[in-house]
Amino acid sequence: MKTTVILISVLLGTVLNSYSVNAEQSAENKSEVEVANYNNVGKLFLPYAKNNHAYMHLISTKGEYALWKCNSKFVINYPLSNITGKTYNYFVYKNGEFHLTVNDFNKDNVYLFFTDQV
């Protein structure tokens, strides 16, 4: 629990420092990411959401990877009980396509990757 709170706090701090998204990456991802406005909100494919899409907030990007958060009330079909977060769930997209779900087993590695500690 303590690790989850620390992870979320650091990720939220990261989002405050990374509000600008590279225009090139946004143009490449428009086929998969429907950008709703300039506040880093997008409607993305999510296999665990009703209608397979959910509105998400961009947390961080690194190369071809992007970390997004989604209100957990939209995540209705996740098959396991180890998904990270109670209010928000976190997902990694690669080149604008769904890549992985942040869960209890990989959250530390995802954090290390997006904070350049790997």
Side-chain angles (χ1 to χ4, degrees), residues 77-100:
N77 296 322
Y78 189 71
L80 305 172
S81 62
N82 62 352
I83 193 166
T84 301
K86 292 185 181 186
T87 305
Y88 290 97
N89 298 129
Y90 297 85
F91 304 94
V92 176
Y93 285 74
K94 180 179 180 183
N95 294 325
E97 295 181 6
F98 179 80
H99 184 64
L100 65 89

Side-chain angles (χ1 to χ4, degrees), residues 1-2 6 10 12 15 17 20 23-24 28 34-35 44 48 58 65 67 69 73 77 79 84 89 96 104 106 111:
M1 178 67 181
K2 188 175 183 179
I6 292 171
V10 171
L12 290 176
V15 78
N17 292 326
S20 63
E24 259 181 49
E28 290 174 5
E34 191 178 303
V35 178
L44 284 77
Y48 315 122
L58 181 66
Y65 295 94
L67 178 64
K69 75 176 183 177
K73 69 182 178 183
N77 296 322
T84 301
N89 298 129
D104 290 337
N106 64 15
Y111 167 77

Side-chain angles (χ1 to χ4, degrees), residues 10-117:
V10 171
L11 290 175
L12 290 176
T14 304
V15 78
L16 294 175
N17 292 326
S18 63
Y19 255 148
S20 63
V21 174
N22 187 330
E24 259 181 49
Q25 288 176 335
S26 294
E28 290 174 5
N29 294 339
K30 282 202 176 181
S31 62
E32 292 294 326
V33 178
E34 191 178 303
V35 178
N37 59 38
Y38 294 104
N39 292 326
N40 296 328
V41 175
K43 182 179 179 185
L44 284 77
F45 168 77
L46 182 64
Y48 315 122
K50 184 177 181 180
N51 299 325
N52 291 327
H53 286 86
Y55 284 100
M56 298 191 195
H57 297 276
L58 181 66
I59 300 297
S60 182
T61 60
K62 182 176 180 184
E64 57 194 8
Y65 295 94
L67 178 64
W68 294 82
K69 75 176 183 177
C70 174
N71 192 311
S72 60
K73 69 182 178 183
F74 299 117
V75 181
I76 59 172
N77 296 322
Y78 189 71
L80 305 172
S81 62
N82 62 352
I83 193 166
T84 301
K86 292 185 181 186
T87 305
Y88 290 97
N89 298 129
Y90 297 85
F91 304 94
V92 176
Y93 285 74
K94 180 179 180 183
N95 294 325
E97 295 181 6
F98 179 80
H99 184 64
L100 65 89
T101 300
V102 178
N103 59 39
D104 290 337
F105 303 116
N106 64 15
K107 65 183 176 186
D108 294 331
N109 290 331
V110 171
Y111 167 77
L112 293 172
F113 176 79
F114 280 102
T115 58
D116 293 325
Q117 296 182 38

